[in-house]
Amino acid sequence: MERYFKLSQHGSTVRTEVIAGITTFLTMAYIIFVNPSILSTTGMDSNAVFVATCLAAAIGSAVMGLWANWPIGMAPGMGLNAFFAFTVVGAMGFTWQQALGAVFISGLIFLFLSATGIRRWLVAGIPVSMRSGVAAGIGMFLGIIALQSSGIVVDSPATLVTLGDLTNPGTLLTIAGFFIIVALDAMRVTGAILIGILVITVAAILLGVSQFGGIMSMPPSIAPTLLQLDVWGAIGFGIFHVILVMVLVEVFDATGTLIGVAKRAGLLKEGPAHTNPGLSRALMADSTAITVGSMLGTSSTTAYVESASGVQAGGRTGLTALVVAVLFLLAMFFAPLAGSVPAYATAPALLYVATLMVRELAELDWEDVTEAAPAVLTALIMPLTYSIANGLAFGFISYAVIKLLTGKVSQVHAATWIVAALFVIKFAFFGGH
Ligand SMILES: Nc1ncnc2[nH]cnc12
């Protein structure tokens, strides 16, 4: 284990990695309940999607751990599942089988881009300033997920967002959990985040704020979605523009998350990011998981920003991801137990990590607005449109345009132009979707 994962070389131990893996899993586990509820709006069997979600997350996280040796959990992504259910099937009228076919093809294209040098060239086109913007934006994205799921921030017809009901017991538990985690982590207590999550879970159950759902249940059948993808139907029905959007969002969602979380873990120190062997392998793991996931019956799998919580808990190697994988497998049998951890308990962990990741903005050269403005825009758009890929899109487009207008075109990488143009085309044809 030590030799395979190079634990001591990364300054980690088996114990730390296990704690990190449990921490990341707990912050991601909501997806095994949320994904079936979103995808079943297309007519997919929600029990089968539950199993497909657990298996896709387990396989993706295992490949990430064993092949890339990075501490990053994978699962079907939010945003990507909504695009699948509400846009491709709901609004455009494709069948869910054809949509799965499109996910499969998008995974193969992503794999092709990763295996050839194209993906590396695309990553090289992300300016250094924007990389800080990505990490900070991911922090703020975690922040809004936490603030919303805990009820601290709620929607408002007048101002879009507003303060929630701070007398709600669940919301108060989140706030208490945040203070517990910050205090424990400041005192360098091992497993601070995990302790915080568990303390709030127990308190929520004791106070009757959330229910204890039981421990075990047998997994349902995956047959209704297994190998149901319709690849030829997808091609035949002219779904190419859907595939293009999927590839664009998958590549930049994954790249953004991987760069942001790996930067936080100190895994991107050597050399430029685009030549980092870990990143190449991580993206191969990502694209493989997308393809496998579509065969099982779920929308695109991606690297999870919530992994930043395990990194904060000390996770530095693939062993963390392998622990996440094992827990997703177990979750098929322990769904009631996993469901007993309420959002109120994981929100404080995500909120704490959010506060840490925004620090990346300090790396910016604030004297040069042609660098700072696109980076800040990248960061702001991520939480406010609930999408990492949208943040990158705004960053790329504004970077290119601002450099053009200020006579600094020579500083713009060719890949930046191409990606900016692709995103403009995407927005022109798909609007906000
Ligand atoms: N699409 C996504 N990208 C990264 N992390 C996520 N966590 C949940 N959905 C995600």
Side-chain angles (χ1 to χ4, degrees), residues 332-345:
M332 285 195 294
F333 299 89
F334 292 90
L337 189 63
S340 299
V341 178
Y344 295 124

Side-chain angles (χ1 to χ4, degrees), residues 14-25:
V14 173
R15 183 163 172 262
T16 305
E17 298 285 311
V18 170
I19 290 178
I22 300 173
T23 305
T24 292
F25 170 77

Side-chain angles (χ1 to χ4, degrees), residues 134 138 141 252-254 256-257 303 305 378 382 385-393:
V134 168
I138 284 179
F141 187 40
F252 285 99
D253 192 323
T257 305
V305 291
T378 305
M382 287 189 191
T385 66
Y386 228 78
S387 158
I388 293 164
N390 280 348
L392 277 154

